[in-house]
Amino acid sequence: MCGIVGYVGHRDVVNILINGLKRLEYRGYDSAGIAVFNEGAELICRKKRGKVRELEHSLSEEPLSGKVGIAHTRWSTHGAPTEINAHPHFDCKKELAVVHNGIIENYQELKDSLIMEGHNFVSETDTEVIAHLIEKFYENDLEEAVRRALKELHGSYAICVVHKNEPHKVVGARLDSPLVIGVGKNENFLASDIPPILEYTRDIIYVENGEIVTLEADNVTIKNLDGARVEKLPEKIGWDIGQAEKKGFPHYMLKEIFEQPEVIKRIINTRISGEKIHFDELKISDEDLLKPRNIAIVACGTAYHAGLTGKYMLEECTRTPVWTDTSSEFRYRDPIVNEDTLMIVISQSGETADTLAALREARKRGAKILAICNVLGSSIARESDGVIFTHAGPEIAVASTKAYTAQLATLYLFTIYMARLKSALGEDKIKELLDEFKTIPSLLETILLRYKAEGNEISHYAKDFKAYYEKRHTKSFFLYLARNINYPNALEGALKLKEISYISAEGYPAGEMKHGPIALIDENPWVVCIVTKSRTYDKMRSNIQEIKARGGIVIGIITSGDEHIKSLNLNYIIEVPQVHEFFSPILVAVPLQLLAYYVAREFGYDIDQPRNLAKSVTVE
Ligand code: G6P
């Protein structure tokens, strides 16, 4: 979590840093700060509690200018989100400033010994120890002092550091938190991610663990922790900043929901030619894919829900045992993973700390690792044996939408690919599935067209919910029920809603209702039932009857034209087009996303940046 930016060049640094922070706010947004060398080469700092716009506002009242500086947007780990805990942090003499993303695990012992040596700490953060350590080792060479300080640190970090004696330099380093260099003409950039840089240059170098970077306007030097030079050439980034902008939508989340047909089209065009499926960047050979006798799928949050759906797909079509786990649980339960395991890690950002740690653990135990990942050059993509990129484009809203359906689409194609390799499905069946898969973008367009206009049905349901919620003295909440391959969508629908509307929401396999959740049913809950045509359709109908009999309000997600279900007098109906039940999760996901979006909008919440969350969770 947290986003950092550093700049050395010829432009107004404040502008670059503030714009950069805004593009990194998805990583955290509880406070922000900058440190800049002004025209007189003095190191000036500004910090503000709250979002980057608060900092921007204070800078407009008291302007600052310069050509070199560093900046930070924070997601608190150690210490409350106060101004004093906001980054940058300083040494005792305020000669150097540090911004940091990550967690220093041994900060308490370092802090205790630095205090014994006479250092004065002002914040509650782990980061401040980095500033004091660099101060301790500083002998007119910032890069060397940073190197010595890093050797003392345990944990994870991406940092940018400036020192008043070297006002033309920014020094950066990373260990397990992302950091990229943007190489420009007489200007260079450091940032946690590419969007802050892309407006100025497409030439990017990914900083690796254990590397220290020194940026000057006309020079970038990369060395390892032993001081040896590392030579690297920049890579060209293929997407542009327009893809990371709102394009007329009121929120990134809505824009990203509406991009889904295009994303799935892109996946089809990239992966399917004729009857063939190809994953050109996947470096694992077919022989190696065939060797493992079981598949493990590990991920966090929304990516985990995609993984759960993947289990249904892969088991059904490839007849291979598949288990799934959240990355944070996997790590600590001594998992049975070995050379017989193909481990699939799924991650939009490719930087989620728990997923990265799970990947490393499984690799140590001999598993082959296949990453399904959205961000090129990310840690997870680089550390896996093979990677399949999801091509969803940059996802900015904290609540994941298009990355989810891109993960589902990728898992479908990987499943069919594996089924063919294992001869578990015949060519006729594969052709039938691929033909149906190719219709998904237009089916998604049909759904989105229906729910595009202001005042569409789902937005009305959201309005009704708010009125009902207030009438029931805020006792209303949501339950999401589904069965089989749509059960993970029940979890995802509930997650989307609670993430952005702060209303309690639980997802359940409908068959488990009688084992507990039915006790919650009275007039308070709104129960979203996914009851599209499938092998479990009749069972879902019975569940709906049980809920209606107890006074629950039901929103049914149904197959278009299903008149039969309407006889159950559902309170609200959302229709999705008919599709093979195997592919229905991709279609059903969209109204679930829209329902969450409209409920949050009705309550007037900050949809793209919900409280307490961050898009990329780079700490445990
Ligand atoms: C955070 C985000 C979620 C995301 C999860 C996993 O919780 O808010 O949207 O699903 O992390 O992230 P990843 O980048 O690994 O998919």
Side-chain angles (χ1 to χ4, degrees), residues 304-305 308 480 486-496 507-508:
Y304 171 63
H305 297 154
L308 279 177
Y480 287 73
N486 266 302
Y487 154 57
N489 254 340
L491 300 178
E492 176 60 11
L495 176 68
K496 281 295 81 86
Y508 253 94

Side-chain angles (χ1 to χ4, degrees), residues 544-601:
I544 291 174
Q545 273 160 326
E546 288 152 11
I547 299 159
K548 290 291 299 173
R550 286 161 181 80
I553 311 273
V554 175
I555 301 183
I557 300 189
I558 69 165
T559 302
S560 297
D562 179 4
E563 294 306 320
H564 190 43
I565 197 83
K566 293 185 183 163
S567 65
L568 298 184
N569 289 326
L570 308 188
N571 303 73
Y572 299 99
I573 280 177
I574 299 174
E575 296 188 28
V576 295
Q578 169 87 49
V579 74
H580 191 305
E581 71 168 296
F582 182 61
F583 294 122
S584 62
I586 288 201
L587 300 193
V588 168
V590 175
L592 294 173
Q593 297 163 350
L594 287 168
L595 180 64
Y597 173 83
Y598 285 120
V599 171
R601 198 183 75 167

Side-chain angles (χ1 to χ4, degrees), residues 75-76 104 118 167 199 212 270 282 293 432 470 475 566:
W75 187 89
S76 316
I104 304 306
E199 202 175 323
I212 300 182
T270 321
L282 175 63
R293 284 195 290 197
E432 181 196 318
E470 283 163 357
K475 284 207 223 131
K566 293 185 183 163

